[in-house]
Amino acid sequence: MEGAATVTIATLLTSVGEVFTKVMSWAGSVGSTIVGTPVLLLFAVGVPLCGLGVGMFKRLLSSRG
């Protein structure tokens, strides 16, 4: 086959490493934005924790009866 690209394990690992590095960079950017904005921090951390507490309390009540 003419013009077919040969893919080796080394090139594949390099590509996966580049994608992983970029995704971690994006996650760090999103995380610092959330931590820097109190309203986003409330919705990203506070609301799920309240939901977890309510869910655990409901499960506790339902297991008693």
Side-chain angles (χ1 to χ4, degrees):
M1 273 189 202
E2 288 184 36
T6 57
V7 178
T8 63
I9 296 295
T11 57
L12 183 64
L13 288 176
T14 302
S15 298
V16 169
E18 290 173 1
V19 169
F20 183 76
T21 302
K22 193 63 172 175
V23 167
M24 287 297 113
S25 170
W26 291 337
S29 175
V30 168
S32 62
T33 301
I34 288 174
V35 170
T37 309
V39 174
L40 289 176
L41 186 61
L42 173 71
F43 283 108
V45 176
V47 172
L49 284 178
C50 288
L52 178 68
V54 168
M56 290 179 74
F57 188 69
K58 284 176 60 176
R59 181 176 283 185
L60 178 68
L61 289 178
S62 68
S63 69
R64 287 181 29 159

